[in-house]
Structure formats: structure tokens, C-alpha cells
């Protein structure tokens, strides 16, 4: 029982217009639709247009989240953008979003936790709302991962896509139980000893360049399911809830094999799993809010549903959020 809780007031998402199929990729690298689909579950991904930046994707998703909540930017006091592909090394993409949304009050900052970014951002926003530091927070995951791919490396370039998703969180000051709407628990983890397994080949302080994505895919795969299920167990332990009570499992969309293995290990039936990886690829920090928006817009996720989110990615970072939508 807590007094203050963060509640999802609205959601939104945005995908760039251009779609790149697996067949398109076969004209660029030595790969096939069959290999990509069998190993990852991906068929297509969206790619940002020239001149379309991460902040543009974020703003489009944020506007929809505000509209779905029936709120204005004046009602927001904090913007958090989770991204690994900022418009610039600095300032934060979140301040570009803030300016583009016409907001000069409050504060805005980025969070960098790669594919776990949206989970980290939700955990941060939730903590700030609970502590009274913020009352309404736009939490956005936005990426233009296509900009940091090595388009000659078939082991990585077939995996990722661009997009953005957002939720507007608001405070509820009333006495709460586990049956009431809102974020019930958040858990974040990292272990930097794994940082070389999934990273970029450069950075401002090391090479002075942006670098491109490098991944030891098999190594990441090896750790993924165990780390994810551990942090989901933390969510169940701290709430007393169990996998059988979950209405929707909305995992980070990196690979359908990881998603399905995790669901199997937790005994979550396949029909309760939201999968968007086929159409979006891995959009890093954007993948969970994109999947949430997809399933809320098509009527699957309804108010009051118990929703389990999880992610794992570069760092390694990983985490879970359990919420009532
Ligand atoms: O979001 C952050 C978290 N990231 C992840 O969760 C990604 C985790 N890893 C994975 O999803 C998988 O490891 C991959 C999808 C990246 C790779 O699947 P895999 O089953 O682990 O394949 P592999 O890396 O073991 O490669 C198998 C073979 C290799 O050939 P040899 O050495 O067996 O001859 C690769 O060279 O597949 C080859 N290969 C490809 N073939 C066709 C690698 N990429 C491709 C490709 N097309 N695009």
C-alpha cells in the first residue's frame, strides 16, 4: 500500500514512413529472408528519412501520448528521453524535444541504457513522481539506430530499426492497492563487465567518432533469458503477484526466440505475449513503448490490465516493470 503512484495517462508511437524488408537487405549484404526470419522473427523494419532525427520521432510519439491523455504540454513538468542515438553528443535529445513541443518550464534529460532505456526511464520517472519531484512526466523511447549501423555487417545490420514510443505518466495521490491502476514495481540492473559484448566501436571521449554497432550476438543470447527472468522474479517477489495473473507480457523486441523462451520459462501463454519484432525489428529503447502502443491501439491492452515489461541490452543492462494499465 503506497500513497503516491504513477499512472499511465496516455500513450503514443511513431514509425518513419520508409519500410525496409528482408528482401531489400539481400541486395545489400549476403543474407536471406529465411535466415533473418528463422533466427530473429524479423520481416521488416522502418528507417528514418534523411533529415528526420531522433527528436522528430520522439516529438511525434509524444504528441500522440498527450492527445490520448487529453493533456497539453503545459500540463507536463518533466520529459525523459531514453535513447542511444541522440541528435547530437550534447545537448540531450530531451531538450530538443522540449523545445519542439514548445515547453520552456520544467526539465528534460536523456537516459542512456541502450535497449533497457525505456525501463530505466520509467523507473526514474516513477521514482521522481513518488518522491514528489514531478507530477506529470513524458517518458519517451526514441531511436534512429539505422544511423549507427555498419550496413556491410550482416550480423548486425539486419536486426535493428527506427521508431519512437511514449507514455504520459501522472501522479495519483489516493491510497492504492495492487488492484488499482499504475506502476506497481520497477527493477533495474546492470553489469559493466559485459560492456564489450554489445557496444559501438567509438565515442566522443575514446575515438572522437560515433562508431558503429558491434555485437557478439551468441554471447548476448546466452545471458539474455536468465537475466530477464531473474529481474521478472524480483517483480513478482516484491508484489506477491505471479505469472499466472499477468494479462499482457510486453518484452523488449530483440529476437522472437528470446521472447518465446522467456515466456515459456515463466509459464506465460503465447497468446498473452505482445510481439512486434516481425514488423519493427529491434528499435532498442523504442521497442517496448512501440509494442505497448500497438497492443493498446488494437484493443488488446485495456485499462486495469496487469502488464509486465522487461528489457535487456548493452552494458549489460536489464530490468522489469510491472504495472496496471
Ligand atoms: O537488444 C539487445 C539485445 N540483443 C539481442 O538480444 C541479440 C541477441 N542475439 C541474437 O538475437 C542472435 O545471436 C542473432 C540473431 C544475432 C544471431 O543468431 P544466432 O543463431 O546466434 O547465429 P550465429 O551468430 O551463431 O550465426 C550463425 C551463422 C554464422 O555462420 P557460421 O559461422 O555458422 O558459418 C553467421 O556467420 O549465421 C551466419 N550469419 C548470417 N547468415 C545469413 C550471421 N548473420 C547472418 C545473416 N544472414 N544476416
Amino acid at each position: 500500500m503506497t500513497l503516491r503512484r504513477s499512472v499511465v495517462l496516455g500513450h503514443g508511437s511513431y514509425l518513419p514512413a520508409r519500410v525496409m524488408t528482408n528482401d531489400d537487405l539481400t541486395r545489400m549484404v549476403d543474407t536471406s529472408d529465411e535466415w533473418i526470419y528463422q533466427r530473429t522473427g524479423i520481416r521488416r523494419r522502418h528507417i528514418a528519412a534523411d533529415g528526420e532525427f531522433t527528436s522528430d520521432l520522439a516529438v511525434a510519439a509524444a504528441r500522440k501520448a498527450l492527445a490520448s491523455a487529453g493533456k497539453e504540454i503545459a500540463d507536463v513538468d518533466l520529459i525523459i528521453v531514453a535513447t542511444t542515438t541522440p541528435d547530437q553528443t550534447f545537448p540531450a535529445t530531451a531538450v530538443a524535444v522540449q523545445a519542439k513541443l514548445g515547453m520552456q518550464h520544467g526539465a528534460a534529460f536523456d537516459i542512456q541504457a541502450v535497449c533497457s532505456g525505456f525501463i530505466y526511464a520509467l523507473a526514474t520517472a516513477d521514482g521522481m513522481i513518488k518522491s514528489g519531484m514531478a507530477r506529470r512526466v513524458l517518458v519517451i523511447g526514441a531511436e534512429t539506430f539505422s544511423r549507427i549501423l555498419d550496413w556491410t555487417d550482416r550480423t548486425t545490420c539486419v536486426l535493428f530499426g527506427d521508431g519512437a514510443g511514449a507514455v504520459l505518466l501522472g501522479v495519483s495521490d489516493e491510497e492504492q492497492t495492487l488492484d488499482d491502476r499504475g506502476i506497481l514495481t520497477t527493477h533495474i540492473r546492470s553489469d559493466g563487465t559485459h560492456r564489450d559484448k554489445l557496444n559501438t566501436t567509438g565515442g566522443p571521449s575514446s575515438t572522437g567518432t560515433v562508431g558503429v554497432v558491434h555485437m557478439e550476438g551468441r554471447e548476448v543470447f546466452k545471458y539474455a533469458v536468465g537475466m530477464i527472468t531473474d529481474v521478472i522474479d524480483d517483480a513478482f517477489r516484491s508484489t506477491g503477484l505471479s505469472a499466472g495473473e499477468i494479462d499482457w507480457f510486453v518484452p523488449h523486441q530483440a529476437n522472437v526466440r528470446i521472447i518465446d523462451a522467456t515466456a515459456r520459462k515463466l509459464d506465460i501463454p503465447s497468446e498473452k505475449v505482445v510481439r512486434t519484432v516481425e514488423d519493427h525489428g529491434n528499435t532498442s529503447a523504442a521497442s517496448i513503448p512501440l509494442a505497448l502502443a500497438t497492443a493498446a491501439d488494437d484493443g488488446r491492452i485495456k485499462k486495469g490490465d496487469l502488464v509486465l515489461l522487461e528489457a535487456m541490452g548493452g552494458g549489460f543492462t536489464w530490468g522489469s516493470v510491472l504495472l496496471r494499465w
Side-chain angles (χ1 to χ4, degrees), residues 243 246 263 267-273 275:
I246 300 298
D267 249 340
I268 296 175
S270 182
E271 58 274 15
K272 292 187 173 182
V273 182
R275 295 180 192 81

Coordinates of all heavy atoms in Angstrom, one line a residue, residues 243 246 263 267-273 275:
A243 N 3.1 -15.1 -12.4 CA 3.0 -15.0 -13.8 C 1.6 -15.4 -14.3 O 1.1 -14.8 -15.3 CB 4.0 -16.1 -14.4
I246 N -0.7 -12.3 -15.0 CA -0.4 -11.3 -16.0 C -1.4 -11.4 -17.1 O -1.8 -12.4 -17.6 CB 1.0 -11.7 -16.6 CG1 2.1 -11.6 -15.6 CG2 1.4 -10.7 -17.8 CD1 2.3 -10.3 -14.9
A263 N 9.0 -16.4 -22.2 CA 7.6 -16.6 -21.8 C 7.4 -18.1 -21.4 O 6.7 -18.4 -20.4 CB 6.7 -16.3 -23.0
D267 N 6.1 -19.5 -17.9 CA 4.8 -20.1 -18.0 C 3.7 -19.1 -18.4 O 2.6 -19.2 -17.9 CB 4.4 -20.8 -16.7 CG 4.3 -22.3 -16.8 OD1 4.2 -22.8 -17.9 OD2 4.4 -23.0 -15.8
I268 N 4.1 -18.2 -19.2 CA 3.1 -17.2 -19.7 C 2.7 -17.7 -21.1 O 3.5 -17.9 -22.0 CB 3.8 -15.8 -19.9 CG1 4.2 -15.2 -18.5 CG2 2.8 -14.8 -20.5 CD1 4.9 -13.9 -18.5
P269 N 1.3 -17.9 -21.2 CA 0.9 -18.5 -22.5 C 1.2 -17.5 -23.7 O 1.1 -16.3 -23.6 CB -0.6 -18.6 -22.3 CG -0.9 -18.2 -20.9 CD 0.3 -17.7 -20.3
S270 N 1.4 -18.2 -24.8 CA 1.8 -17.4 -26.0 C 0.8 -16.3 -26.4 O 1.3 -15.2 -26.9 CB 1.9 -18.4 -27.2 OG 2.4 -17.8 -28.3
E271 N -0.5 -16.6 -26.2 CA -1.5 -15.6 -26.6 C -1.5 -14.3 -25.7 O -2.1 -13.3 -26.1 CB -2.9 -16.2 -26.7 CG -3.4 -16.8 -25.4 CD -3.0 -18.2 -25.2 OE1 -2.0 -18.7 -25.9 OE2 -3.6 -18.9 -24.4
K272 N -0.7 -14.3 -24.6 CA -0.6 -13.1 -23.8 C 0.7 -12.3 -24.1 O 1.0 -11.4 -23.4 CB -0.6 -13.5 -22.3 CG -2.0 -14.1 -21.9 CD -2.0 -14.3 -20.4 CE -3.4 -14.7 -20.0 NZ -3.5 -14.8 -18.5
V273 N 1.4 -12.8 -25.1 CA 2.7 -12.1 -25.4 C 2.5 -11.2 -26.5 O 2.0 -11.6 -27.6 CB 3.8 -13.2 -25.7 CG1 5.1 -12.5 -26.0 CG2 3.9 -14.2 -24.6
R275 N 4.1 -9.3 -29.5 CA 5.2 -9.4 -30.4 C 5.1 -8.4 -31.5 O 4.2 -8.5 -32.3 CB 5.4 -10.8 -31.0 CG 5.6 -11.9 -30.0 CD 5.7 -13.2 -30.8 NE 5.6 -14.4 -29.8 CZ 4.5 -14.9 -29.3 NH1 3.3 -14.3 -29.7 NH2 4.5 -15.9 -28.5

